[in-house]
Amino acid sequence: MKGIFIAFDQAHRDDVIASLASCMQRGFTMIPDATGRGSNTGEPHLGSHAWPGTNSAIITICPDERVDTILDRLKKIDHDRPMLGLRAFVFPVEQAI
């Protein structure tokens, strides 16, 4: 199993959820108001007067064979609207209850 942490501009919310659904990835946990700043480009999303935007984040756990399909769909979302920002990170899940 793998975990995927997805951080994205809130404007991507519906597209990210639809991408997971289209990959038959039902389960996820959403963090609706995440703040932060990208490491290379884009404006900060800090939820403040100066930087009013906010992000959301999703953590999902899936079978190894589903990861590439999910990442391909997320890459397309980011490519279509690159100024909004979307990042995904994959990590191993060794145990779960």
Side-chain angles (χ1 to χ4, degrees):
M1 283 190 301
K2 299 288 187 193
I4 306 174
F5 175 81
I6 310 162
F8 53 93
D9 186 287
Q10 287 184 333
H12 284 315
R13 179 185 178 275
D14 292 342
D15 291 334
V16 171
I17 292 172
S19 292
L20 293 175
S22 72
C23 295
M24 305 304 289
Q25 184 59 29
R26 183 179 182 276
F28 62 85
T29 297
M30 180 178 286
I31 303 163
D33 292 315
T35 59
R37 177 178 64 188
S39 57
N40 295 317
T41 61
E43 295 182 353
H45 292 87
L46 301 176
S48 68
H49 178 69
W51 301 103
T54 58
N55 292 320
S56 292
I58 286 179
I59 300 169
T60 188
I61 309 301
C62 62
D64 292 4
E65 60 272 9
R66 202 173 288 167
V67 171
D68 289 338
T69 304
I70 292 171
L71 291 180
D72 287 343
R73 306 242 170 119
L74 296 174
K75 283 179 195 174
K76 181 174 180 348
I77 293 169
D78 186 45
H79 181 266
D80 289 347
R81 296 171 71 190
M83 293 306 293
L84 291 179
L86 185 153
R87 297 292 178 264
F89 305 91
V90 178
F91 55 92
V93 175
E94 296 181 14
Q95 295 182 359
I97 59 168

